[in-house]
Amino acid sequence: MIHLSQGNLKDVEADLATAVRIEPGIANPRIILSAFHVYRNNRAKAMTILSEGLTGSKSDAVLYAAMARIMASENRAAEAIRYLQKSKEKDPGAVDPYFMLADFYVAQRDTAKALAEYSSLLQQHPANTRAFIRMAGLMESENRQNEALILYQKAKETHEVAGYLALAHYHEQRGSLKDAQSVYSEARIRFPRSVPVLEQQGRFYL
């Protein structure tokens, strides 16, 4: 890190390569070294470094996800999707691949596949607030308002700040101001010191 702050990129690469040699089975140094090569615009080298770390174990999931990000940066969506699917196979409990796949499918306007990814994620993590909010947003985009409302309510039921704010904002956007006010009031009681709650509620009353 000292070398990086001083602009000694060759020394940075050497330090990271040494870390990979010392602990070849640990993903983090390898991912950092690959990111360094992406920064140097050498994505082929970055992919090689990641692929050389694959061991057939659960830890491969983070390497496949990193490979997917590189493919995505080159607009190679099909290959990125393939690596993300491999990441899910290695570690079904990892959250990022589901969101990344859903983002790809949304970009391809394949809402059904995006929703399927969020549903699969929720099977692993039933209280994932962000998944409920993303699903609700997709339902809104297709004017499936009843389903959107149910999903926003489920997001609130995870008892995270984001779930309360998402539901309140949905009511507000739909013109259900009393419902929005009620949710904001609940959020204030549950999260009395939450800055996002105070800010969004304050904007609501302006």
Side-chain angles (χ1 to χ4, degrees):
M1 293 304 167
I2 293 174
H3 289 145
L4 183 59
S5 67
Q6 295 174 346
N8 299 325
L9 296 181
K10 288 185 178 179
D11 290 333
V12 172
E13 181 180 2
D15 290 346
L16 291 171
T18 298
V20 170
R21 284 196 300 272
I22 292 171
E23 296 287 356
I26 297 179
N28 282 348
R30 194 173 292 278
I31 290 172
I32 295 170
L33 180 57
S34 72
F36 172 81
H37 285 291
V38 170
Y39 170 76
R40 298 294 300 276
N41 203 30
N42 191 347
R43 289 178 174 82
K45 179 67 173 176
M47 289 293 289
T48 298
I49 289 166
L50 294 170
S51 63
E52 287 175 348
L54 297 172
T55 62
S57 65
K58 183 178 180 179
S59 63
D60 287 354
V62 294
L63 297 175
Y64 280 127
M67 294 165 81
R69 290 186 179 93
I70 294 173
M71 293 294 98
S73 72
E74 296 186 337
N75 295 317
R76 295 161 66 176
E79 291 169 87
I81 288 171
R82 180 166 59 86
Y83 284 123
L84 289 171
Q85 289 169 339
K86 287 185 176 182
S87 180
K88 282 189 355 181
E89 290 170 7
K90 289 299 180 183
D91 185 5
V95 170
D96 286 349
Y98 295 93
F99 283 108
M100 292 171 68
L101 279 166
D103 286 343
F104 273 114
Y105 293 136
V106 169
Q108 295 172 354
R109 300 191 178 187
D110 195 334
T111 302
K113 284 187 177 180
L115 290 170
E117 290 300 327
Y118 293 133
S119 294
S120 296
L121 169 59
L122 288 167
Q123 289 177 7
Q124 300 291 329
H125 302 280
N128 190 290
T129 310
R130 185 157 61 114
F132 282 123
I133 292 172
R134 291 282 191 90
M135 291 180 78
L138 287 177
M139 293 301 183
E140 275 195 273
S141 70
E142 296 197 337
N143 200 30
R144 295 160 65 177
Q145 301 302 336
N146 290 338
E147 292 164 279
L149 176 57
I150 290 170
L151 288 163
Y152 281 126
Q153 288 169 336
K154 287 183 177 180
K156 173 181 170 287
E157 289 165 7
T158 65
H159 303 301
E160 296 288 340
V161 169
Y164 281 84
L165 295 184
L167 177 59
H169 182 69
Y170 176 77
H171 283 312
E172 191 176 347
Q173 292 295 105
R174 300 291 295 172
S176 302
L177 301 185
K178 287 185 178 179
D179 289 329
Q181 184 178 13
S182 175
V183 176
Y184 283 131
S185 296
E186 286 185 59
R188 278 292 304 276
I189 293 170
R190 191 171 187 89
F191 310 101
R193 297 183 180 179
S194 170
V195 173
V197 170
L198 292 171
E199 287 180 345
Q200 193 160 317
Q201 188 180 32
R203 179 192 51 75
F204 174 74
Y205 285 111
L206 287 178

